[in-house]
Amino acid sequence: MRLGSAFVVSSSGLLRFRISSWKNQDQAPVRARVHPHMTLSERSFQAVRLLAGVGRELRSPAPVATRETTPTGVPERDQVPETDKWDLTRLYTSKADWERDLKACSGPWEKLLSFKGRVTSCPDTVRQVLDEYLSTARVIERVYTYAHLLHDQDLRDDEAKNMYVRALDLHTRYAEQTAFLEPELVQLPDAYLEPGQGLEPYKHYLERIRRQRAHTLSAAEEALLAASAKATSASARAFSAMNDADFDFGSVQDSQGKSVTLSHGSYGTLMRSKDRTLRRNAFTALHQRYRGFENTLTELLAGAIETHVFHARARQYHSSLEAALSPNAIPVEVYRNLLDTVRKHGLGHHHRYVALRRRLLNLGDGPLHMYDMYAPLIPDVDLAMPYEAAVDSVLASLAPLGNEYVRIATAGLGERRWVDRYENRGKRSGAYSSGCFDSEPYILHNYDSANVNDAFTLAHELGHSMHSYFSRRHQPYHYADYSIFVAEVASTFNEELYSRYLFQTKAGSKAEKAYLVNRSLEDLRGTLFRQAMFADFELRIHEMAEHGEPLTPAALRQAYRALNKEWFGTEDVCIDEEIEWELFRIPHFYYNFYVYQYATGISAALALAERVLNGGTAERDAYLAFLSAGSSVDPMDALRIAGVDMTEPAPVQAALHRFGALVDELDALTR
Ligand SMILES: [Zn+2]
């Protein structure tokens, strides 16, 4: 996961305060790391976007993960040695310094606001406005970053919480006050971008905003759309309220007759239980709950889909898919190519995997059931290591990226103290990489040496941090952040290198090898196959709405069932009836074509890992150039710099090929 507070040009919003890129919580629960889905700030960002009338849909926030109970033996923050904590003094040497900055950037921003209504009056004004706007944004980002890191160190610390809330409030006010910028900049005359007008440093930045011009309506129409945004997002909010707050799943019984609480939080754990009765009971009870509300849930989902279609049509896009992808300049071929390629080259491997799963679970003559899909296949092995050993092995695995990369990473994990290593009382759980233009790319971790997944998490977060480091070092502030579309590439790339390294050097026994292979398989299954299936369903239901086909509970369920049959096959698995109601519990279907990026991200990462590992300095340098590109080019072009073209089948094929090879390997290792 990556947390980065940043003001960057977003696709359809000039102001984009991005707090996190997040992993789908619904994917194969192989990772130990928690992916807090979205923080408060993301909601305030949404509020701002809504105020600005951007008309994009809500992402429904999931609760931020915090530990309910702290195990005994966890120290208080002040008992943790300094060397095990991140060094925030590189950001602010004291809270007094932070207060000074907060005050300095708190407005009322008279100069900036004085440009309202005349932002594009001449090129020189545009430059002044952007200089002014970005220089304040940069300080606010710094103020915010410090407060949020301090807050996360110990969520019980009232002073830090107070700082955090004030920083958040400042950000929200700034975003609201500057919401006039984007609509004015959309109208920027072409001539302003000619050479010699003084806007070269902002050329791509402005071009991205201007691209929206063809889809921008008259001022009166835009005002009307903006005013309707709250009403048209009601379906998504209602689903979130129902799913997150109202649903109570009660409890289920395990094979011993013991009662176990069923909740969103426990469901993943129960699906990984070795107790098949418990898995079956949990699976059945959860989906029966959704079944009881299928009419309401259908209306909510249909409402969200129709909102996407409405906005796409109002803005004169050919389809809701095009509307969702175009702000980031992602061609619809990328989406269709993903689905076509998985269908053509992946489903065979996926069916073989299902057969292997059936064999390894020793189910006798009976088929695999949908509630067997996450049951553990391979016993845990002891690959545990202390933090220092994890650092050494992660750094060693990154050697293919060259001396400079390793040198910077070594310093980051070492004397520059990017990482807050261990758990302390009150600390936010999980792991993330976060920072801003003027900070180190910090990593929050809760490293537990008993769990090898935590070493993978370190590799993953370091991938994000190094991407941020390279982008910030090579780009000016306004291009220093990278798009969500590429956000998980560097992190997944590093995990892949780490997995291969451990496999080659540390895994001695068959059991250890099988463990690592299975780990990679589960990752690919959850991130590539499952997300591609979701993406396929999302496209289908949007097309149904666009073609005027009624979205009824039966129509939705049939479409979802058909996809499950196709994805899992029918030879080794029983497609249980309850799976049809799964569609009603996936929050991502409200996000407007979001999940495909998980699948394209891991595909790009695996294709690039192959390329770098099998290539020479040219391939490596191309990858480093990608890390350095930030948002100075569109995300598709950034990946082309690295050497992959996501409109082509090759990268997805490479990931599918890797999956197939891993299936063979696990099969051989378990004979
Ligand atoms: Zn990540």
Side-chain angles (χ1 to χ4, degrees):
M1 192 189 70
R2 170 173 176 277
L3 281 179
S5 61
F7 292 88
V8 294
V9 172
S10 84
S11 39
S12 53
L14 169 72
L15 241 194
R16 170 148 191 181
F17 185 57
R18 186 171 70 204
I19 290 302
S20 63
S21 80
W22 38 84
K23 272 283 188 177
N24 176 11
Q25 296 186 321
D26 198 64
Q27 64 181 259
V30 63
R31 291 163 194 272
R33 87 174 119 319
V34 180
H35 289 288
H37 205 63
M38 178 183 299
T39 66
L40 241 187
S41 330
E42 187 75 21
R43 293 190 217 190
S44 81
F45 155 61
Q46 290 169 349
V48 171
R49 296 282 294 274
L50 288 177
L51 283 169
V54 175
R56 305 269 288 160
E57 297 319 308
L58 292 178
R59 296 192 190 113
S60 71
V64 170
T66 43
R67 227 178 268 277
E68 279 170 23
T69 52
T70 307
T72 47
V74 173
E76 290 291 342
R77 178 97 188 151
D78 57 13
Q79 295 169 324
V80 179
E82 287 301 303
T83 46
D84 290 343
K85 301 179 195 170
W86 51 28
D87 181 6
L88 299 187
T89 62
R90 289 174 184 277
L91 191 45
Y92 284 107
T93 45
S94 69
K95 286 178 184 163
D97 282 352
W98 180 86
E99 292 284 354
R100 240 191 317 278
D101 248 6
L102 177 86
K103 200 159 169 233
C105 65
S106 281
W109 313 302
E110 278 151 349
K111 185 175 172 201
L112 183 60
L113 297 185
S114 74
F115 290 110
K116 200 170 181 174
R118 56 183 189 91
V119 172
T120 56
S121 51
C122 69
D124 194 48
T125 306
V126 174
R127 201 182 39 74
Q128 280 184 56
V129 169
L130 289 179
D131 288 347
E132 183 70 22
Y133 166 70
L134 291 165
S135 61
T136 304
R138 181 170 162 177
V139 184
I140 294 177
E141 193 191 340
R142 182 173 179 157
V143 161
Y144 173 83
T145 300
Y146 184 71
H148 108 75
L149 295 174
L150 214 58
H151 176 50
D152 286 350
Q153 288 178 180
D154 186 349
L155 299 167
R156 305 165 307 171
D157 179 343
D158 279 338
E159 192 190 0
K161 190 180 289 173
N162 178 283
M163 291 167 72
Y164 174 68
V165 171
R166 285 157 67 207
L168 201 53
D169 174 63
L170 167 62
H171 155 256
T172 309
R173 279 193 299 118
Y174 191 63
E176 284 169 3
Q177 293 288 308
T178 55
F180 68 94
L181 284 172
E182 182 182 0
E184 292 197 38
L185 288 171
V186 163
Q187 304 303 337
L188 190 90
D190 293 344
Y192 286 18
L193 294 177
E194 307 272 312
Q197 298 294 327
L199 287 174
E200 283 86 353
Y202 295 118
K203 190 162 188 276
H204 181 65
Y205 185 99
L206 290 166
E207 277 171 347
R208 271 192 294 180
I209 296 170
R210 285 170 71 256
R211 274 204 296 252
Q212 300 306 309
R213 189 160 28 178
H215 304 286
T216 301
L217 309 177
S218 71
E221 289 166 329
E222 286 290 340
L224 201 59
L225 271 190
S228 74
K230 201 168 176 194
T232 51
S233 61
S235 293
R237 287 200 311 274
F239 170 74
S240 181
M242 186 176 183
N243 198 41
D244 296 340
D246 290 344
F247 267 155
D248 178 0
F249 299 102
S251 58
V252 290
Q253 299 210 319
D254 68 11
S255 58
Q256 308 298 311
K258 212 179 111 216
S259 179
V260 181
T261 308
L262 179 62
S263 65
H264 289 301
S266 71
Y267 183 67
T269 312
L270 300 184
M271 282 299 102
R272 274 170 282 151
S273 165
K274 288 181 182 144
D275 184 337
R276 199 178 191 204
T277 306
L278 178 59
R279 293 201 308 266
R280 188 184 61 225
N281 290 346
F283 174 81
T284 308
L286 186 99
H287 291 106
Q288 288 296 348
R289 194 87 187 116
Y290 285 90
R291 180 181 198 161
F293 291 91
E294 68 167 10
N295 292 299
T296 305
L297 288 162
T298 297
E299 290 305 327
L300 294 177
L301 184 55
I305 305 297
E306 278 153 13
T307 303
H308 303 160
V309 174
F310 164 72
H311 279 121
R313 286 188 177 151
R315 296 192 179 282
Q316 326 215 340
Y317 287 101
H318 295 105
S319 66
S320 46
L321 178 65
E322 188 198 14
L325 270 52
S326 102
N328 269 327
I330 311 291
V332 294
E333 293 95 287
V334 170
Y335 200 98
R336 296 193 184 279
N337 172 53
L338 168 73
L339 302 182
D340 291 348
T341 309
V342 170
R343 256 207 177 85
K344 207 162 149 195
H345 300 282
L347 293 187
H349 293 314
H350 199 239
H351 297 172
R352 282 199 302 123
Y353 169 82
V354 169
L356 175 61
R357 168 165 278 276
R358 182 182 176 193
R359 174 170 80 72
L360 292 177
L361 285 180
N362 270 323
L363 298 172
D365 291 339
L368 201 63
H369 281 270
M370 298 313 281
Y371 48 80
D372 296 322
M373 286 302 168
Y374 298 101
L377 295 184
I378 300 295
D380 279 347
V381 293
D382 188 13
L383 281 167
M385 57 183 108
Y387 180 80
E388 291 73 13
V391 167
D392 289 345
S393 55
V394 166
L395 290 171
S397 75
L398 299 173
L401 290 175
N403 292 337
E404 194 205 5
Y405 186 100
V406 174
R407 183 177 53 73
I408 295 162
T410 304
L413 298 182
E415 76 267 13
R416 293 190 78 83
R417 285 171 47 204
W418 290 354
V419 187
D420 208 67
R421 299 178 183 178
Y422 305 111
E423 187 180 6
N424 59 252
R425 286 188 177 270
K427 183 171 164 179
R428 183 174 297 282
S429 63
Y432 63 65
S433 163
S434 179
C436 64
F437 193 71
D438 296 297
S439 82
E440 304 277 343
Y442 292 108
I443 293 171
L444 178 134
H445 207 335
N446 281 275
Y447 191 85
D448 174 359
S449 59
N451 188 347
V452 70
N453 280 324
D454 282 7
F456 277 93
T457 302
L458 183 67
H460 180 101
E461 304 306 341
L462 183 63
H464 286 310
S465 285
M466 292 297 290
H467 193 175
S468 302
Y469 181 94
F470 273 83
S471 284
R472 287 174 194 149
R473 200 174 69 175
H474 293 277
Q475 299 298 333
Y477 173 68
H478 56 285
Y479 291 139
D481 210 348
Y482 41 85
S483 134
I484 290 276
F485 186 77
V486 299
E488 291 296 332
V489 172
S491 53
T492 312
F493 178 101
N494 280 19
E495 267 194 275
E496 177 67 10
L497 256 53
Y498 190 53
S499 182
R500 292 183 188 216
Y501 175 82
L502 285 187
F503 188 84
Q504 281 152 16
T505 61
K506 297 271 194 279
S509 69
K510 252 183 158 181
E512 287 169 344
K513 288 191 158 81
Y515 176 85
L516 289 171
V517 168
N518 181 56
R519 200 185 172 285
S520 298
L521 267 176
E522 291 300 310
D523 230 9
L524 266 164
R525 192 161 74 94
T527 313
L528 178 52
F529 285 99
R530 188 158 169 80
Q531 306 309 322
M533 189 181 90
F534 286 165
D536 198 331
F537 183 69
E538 221 181 327
L539 181 59
R540 279 180 194 213
I541 54 179
H542 280 83
E543 286 178 347
M544 283 169 75
E546 282 166 352
H547 298 150
E549 291 174 43
L551 298 175
T552 63
L556 293 177
R557 286 195 279 105
Q558 272 164 23
Y560 197 68
R561 181 179 190 82
L563 267 181
N564 271 277
K565 274 172 104 168
E566 193 184 359
W567 246 249
F568 290 96
T570 47
E571 208 152 288
D572 294 284
V573 58
C574 166
I575 307 292
D576 301 280
E577 188 190 14
E578 285 84 1
I579 202 69
E580 293 178 16
W581 286 275
E582 184 183 57
L583 79 94
F584 293 115
R585 68 175 181 86
I586 308 297
H588 301 76
F589 294 150
Y590 289 81
Y591 297 4
N592 201 5
F593 297 106
Y594 187 83
V595 293
Y596 81 100
Q597 299 173 109
Y598 297 121
T600 50
I602 197 169
S603 298
L606 294 192
L608 288 171
E610 288 284 349
R611 209 178 116 88
V612 170
L613 289 173
N614 298 325
T617 47
E619 286 75 11
R620 184 191 72 202
D621 291 348
Y623 180 74
L624 296 176
F626 154 71
L627 294 185
S628 307
S631 53
S632 64
V633 293
D634 286 329
M636 290 291 294
D637 292 332
L639 286 172
R640 280 191 193 105
I641 290 173
V644 291
D645 183 344
M646 296 309 293
T647 59
E648 301 282 334
V652 181
Q653 265 176 346
L656 295 169
H657 181 78
R658 174 84 178 134
F659 183 84
L662 289 166
V663 172
D664 293 339
E665 211 153 345
L666 188 61
D667 193 30
L669 284 164
T670 53
R671 288 284 172 188

